[in-house]
Amino acid sequence: MAELDTSGGGKKGGGKVRTKKANTKVDLTAMVDLAFLLITFFMLTTSLSKPLAMDIVKPDQDAKDENRLELRASQTMTILLGKNDKVAWYMGEAGASRPNIEGFGEIRKSILENKKKVADANNNDPKRTLVVVIKPTSGAKYKNFVDIMDELNITKITSAPAIDDVNILDSEANFMKENGIL
């Protein structure tokens, strides 16, 4: 039981004897109980911030899977992450068009332009949006991957990006070697 003793008695310096006051005791048990109840209530009713995560898609290693999703070349943007914070990207099939080399400062504009082109070509059909395939190379840093995922989040790409760090084509690798970003 918690108590507060407010007694003040006893002799003080001058030798005068004063009348002794009655001891007053205040019981603080109820206040301590209330404090713990309030702390418990607020701890249980508050919601902590939940971590946010993006969905990503990794290709299945089994090439014989009948449930494989075929992507339309007109909707597909492939982004190759290279060294020195450089990216190479192209629309459609590999080898059909020459990749563009950009830094992370320019890639957002390119993503938005391609997103608009795909939307216009498909009459703004929500089922046919830009699909992004990200291919990190051996020269890329983890920071580059996080940066490109942030760019996709900022540009509001609704489809989950496909991450393919295994199937980098020879034509893609040769282009990146020629330009010094592999």
Side-chain angles (χ1 to χ4, degrees), residues 135-156:
K135 293 185 175 185
T137 62
S138 59
K141 299 176 190 164
Y142 181 72
K143 178 187 179 303
N144 299 139
F145 180 75
V146 172
D147 289 344
I148 200 67
M149 294 301 287
D150 286 343
E151 291 297 331
L152 294 177
N153 193 23
I154 290 168
T155 56
K156 296 183 179 14

Side-chain angles (χ1 to χ4, degrees), residues 1-4 25-30 32:
M1 176 160 114
E3 301 180 345
L4 179 62
K25 294 182 180 181
V26 177
D27 187 12
L28 298 176
T29 306
V32 171

Side-chain angles (χ1 to χ4, degrees), residues 4-5 11 20 22 31 38 50-52 61 63 67 70 73 97 105 113-114 124 128 132 142 144 150 159 168 173 178:
L4 179 62
D5 188 10
K11 285 191 171 184
K20 191 172 184 180
M31 190 178 301
L38 286 172
K50 294 175 177 62
L52 301 174
Q61 298 300 323
N67 296 326
E70 295 295 327
S97 63
E113 286 174 359
N114 290 326
N124 293 323
R128 293 189 178 180
V132 179
Y142 181 72
N144 299 139
D150 286 343
S159 62
I168 297 175
E178 289 171 7

Side-chain angles (χ1 to χ4, degrees), residues 58-70 167:
K58 287 279 288 176
D60 192 7
Q61 298 300 323
D62 185 15
K64 298 176 185 174
D65 189 10
E66 294 86 28
N67 296 326
R68 289 180 58 139
L69 177 64
E70 295 295 327
N167 301 315

Side-chain angles (χ1 to χ4, degrees), residues 80-84 135-142 144 164-166 168 173 176-177 181-182:
L80 303 160
L81 302 177
K83 65 181 179 181
N84 300 330
K135 293 185 175 185
T137 62
S138 59
K141 299 176 190 164
Y142 181 72
N144 299 139
D164 189 3
D165 54 348
V166 178
I168 297 175
M176 293 181 75
K177 283 180 187 175
I181 60 171
L182 181 62

Side-chain angles (χ1 to χ4, degrees), residues 4-10 18-26:
L4 179 62
D5 188 10
T6 59
S7 66
R18 297 194 177 182
T19 59
K20 191 172 184 180
K21 294 183 178 178
N23 289 342
T24 56
K25 294 182 180 181
V26 177

